[in-house]
Amino acid sequence: NWKNDTPRKPLLLRGARQVGKSTSVREFAKNFRYYVEVNFEERDDVRKLFDGNLSPKEICHNLSIYYDTPIIPGETLVFFDEIQSCIRAISSLRFFYEKYPELHIIAAGSLLDFALSELPAFGVGRIRTMFIYPLSFDEFLTATGDAQLLEIKNNAALQNPLTDLLHDKLISLLKKFMVLGGMPEVIANFVNNKDVRECQKSLDDLILSLKSDFSKYKRRVPALRISEIFESVCGQMGNKFVYKKADTHANHKQIKEAIELLLMSGLIISVTHSSGNGIPLGAEADSKKRKLLIFDTGIFQRLLGLDIKNILFENDFDLINKGAIAELFTGLEILKSSSCYEKHELYYWQRETPNSSAEVDYLLQLKENIIPVEVKSSKKGSMKSLFIFLNEKKRDYGIRFSTENFSTYNNVKVYPLYAVSNLLQKQ
């Protein structure tokens, strides 16, 4: 769609390390006669081409000579990879829209937010941004050759639940996906070898790679402190993040800055408290109360050292949800099912009173409605907080994601965990 847009803006891909940004562009490049990939992290010398005039045509003339490849509008795709390593290249993107819109140009970076924080007036209205996440459960089904099952799932609804056989099959695949996560390298390994245990090695490699990047974040917070906070986020999953519970020698200021750096890198995601009284949800959000999510369930279970046998083979929801992995999966699926052209925020609700506490895992804004969401077991009596929210806020209905099939209890609509996208993509 972007390729055929008129007028067309430069495309900026944003997302964490190794979620598939560069590979996606290389696959997309097969639609062009010529392809020029500029990696600013690998080649220091190419940055010099951006030191002078930022005229797009002059830049492309020099890049064409440097890479010995023609740069022709409509026939060449130009890709600026790891663009955060060259601030001048980031600044040049706006001029491509203004002076060379006929050229197809894509930029990407995994630590891009660090660089963009230094450019307060960066390309407003002149650049199309796309946010990239690890694979969703739907994409996992496509990757594993279960496209027909995916179509059946997507057509299921409260009035049209799946057969028990298909429901059980999807729950089994969902458990595998929770253990594997959605990182492309891990899923490719699984597709080729069908070995969940072997994929744990891929996850270990990814964790080492992610942690090795911590030294690039900022000098004020040592890489070891950032690593400690990263693991503390795993340990506090499902609860409001408490600085004092962080097992680290860092002081309050360092913990706060480490969290902000991890948020900017895309490795953790904030779920902010909201009163849920009206839209937009962010209008009454309290940034001092927030949960923190790791960006991938596979990375999460590996860091936390969960017993994957419980997740894969048990039917007890509490064992499946060990460490709040089901709650994490749901939050990530909400993000992955939202528009890729905006940075979607997650919210939750909590009431803290001396005699009656209540908490709803997520709040969704579906059109003009605020919908409370809980991730719970299949026990009908486990929705106290959901009903408290519905009564206090005078909302029509709530959503529960569980291992149950599609069903309804009074004013609560029950969706299987594998069907988060069913709910969101039809709104």
Side-chain angles (χ1 to χ4, degrees), residues 149-179:
L149 183 61
L150 171 62
E151 184 178 357
I152 294 170
K153 177 194 83 73
N154 287 342
N155 288 326
L158 296 172
Q159 301 78 20
N160 181 36
L162 294 172
T163 64
D164 289 343
L165 183 66
L166 290 177
H167 171 75
D168 291 343
K169 183 175 182 179
L170 280 164
I171 289 293
S172 177
L173 288 167
L174 172 70
K175 291 176 181 179
K176 285 182 182 176
F177 180 72
M178 284 185 181
V179 167

Side-chain angles (χ1 to χ4, degrees), residues 13-24 109-110 130-136 139 182-185 206 210 265-267 295-296 299 336:
L13 305 184
R14 294 166 65 175
R17 284 276 192 201
Q18 310 210 27
V19 296
K21 299 184 296 298
S22 301
T23 303
S24 297
S110 44
M130 184 181 289
F131 293 91
I132 311 292
Y133 297 97
L135 274 68
S136 67
E139 291 165 336
M183 296 298 276
E185 178 185 332
L206 282 168
L210 294 173
S265 72
L267 296 185
F295 77 121
D296 181 71
I299 299 287
K336 295 169 187 177

Side-chain angles (χ1 to χ4, degrees), residues 100-330:
Y100 208 5
E102 60 270 29
L103 182 71
H104 292 83
I105 182 164
I106 300 178
S110 44
L111 300 178
L112 194 52
D113 280 28
F114 297 161
L116 294 181
S117 65
E118 300 175 19
L119 294 169
F122 166 69
V124 177
R126 298 174 177 85
I127 294 166
R128 170 66 50 81
T129 298
M130 184 181 289
F131 293 91
I132 311 292
Y133 297 97
L135 274 68
S136 67
F137 180 62
D138 287 4
E139 291 165 336
F140 170 71
L141 292 177
T142 303
T144 54
D146 290 301
Q148 186 175 5
L149 183 61
L150 171 62
E151 184 178 357
I152 294 170
K153 177 194 83 73
N154 287 342
N155 288 326
L158 296 172
Q159 301 78 20
N160 181 36
L162 294 172
T163 64
D164 289 343
L165 183 66
L166 290 177
H167 171 75
D168 291 343
K169 183 175 182 179
L170 280 164
I171 289 293
S172 177
L173 288 167
L174 172 70
K175 291 176 181 179
K176 285 182 182 176
F177 180 72
M178 284 185 181
V179 167
L180 295 169
M183 296 298 276
E185 178 185 332
V186 179
I187 300 305
N189 187 335
F190 179 73
V191 168
N192 291 328
N193 301 309
K194 305 299 182 186
D195 189 339
V196 173
R197 288 178 65 253
E198 182 66 25
C199 291
Q200 304 307 296
K201 297 176 185 177
S202 294
L203 285 167
D204 290 339
D205 292 341
L206 282 168
I207 289 169
L208 285 172
S209 176
L210 294 173
K211 287 187 173 182
S212 69
D213 277 344
F214 290 163
S215 61
K216 302 175 184 177
Y217 285 15
K218 266 192 180 180
R219 299 295 180 190
R220 286 177 294 184
V221 182
L224 180 59
R225 299 287 88 84
I226 298 174
S227 182
E228 289 170 347
I229 299 305
F230 187 50
E231 295 188 15
S232 182
V233 169
C234 287
Q236 297 191 47
M237 189 73 69
N239 299 298
K240 184 175 72 173
F241 188 83
V242 179
Y243 284 26
K244 291 180 180 179
K245 292 183 179 179
D247 185 17
T248 176
H249 298 292
N251 57 41
H252 186 279
K253 183 178 179 182
Q254 282 186 323
I255 294 173
K256 184 177 180 180
E257 185 164 6
I259 289 172
E260 293 308 314
L261 293 173
L262 288 166
L263 286 168
M264 290 173 71
S265 72
L267 296 185
I268 66 174
I269 296 155
S270 178
V271 188
T272 309
H273 179 276
S274 172
S275 66
N277 289 322
I279 58 174
L281 286 167
E284 294 183 287
D286 184 353
S287 60
K288 293 180 181 179
K289 296 179 182 178
R290 60 183 178 182
K291 302 178 184 180
L292 297 173
L293 307 180
I294 294 291
F295 77 121
D296 181 71
T297 58
I299 299 287
F300 167 69
Q301 65 84 8
R302 202 61 180 159
L303 280 171
L304 208 59
L306 298 181
D307 186 345
I308 63 174
K309 294 193 297 293
N310 287 336
I311 300 172
L312 291 172
F313 304 125
E314 294 291 342
N315 292 321
D316 185 332
F317 183 89
D318 291 333
L319 289 174
I320 295 170
N321 195 34
K322 193 73 174 176
I325 194 170
E327 183 180 331
L328 169 61
F329 164 81
T330 302

Side-chain angles (χ1 to χ4, degrees), residues 26-37:
R26 291 172 193 139
E27 285 296 312
F28 177 58
K30 295 175 182 177
N31 294 281
F32 293 82
R33 185 177 179 184
Y34 303 110
Y35 174 57
V36 174
E37 180 173 326

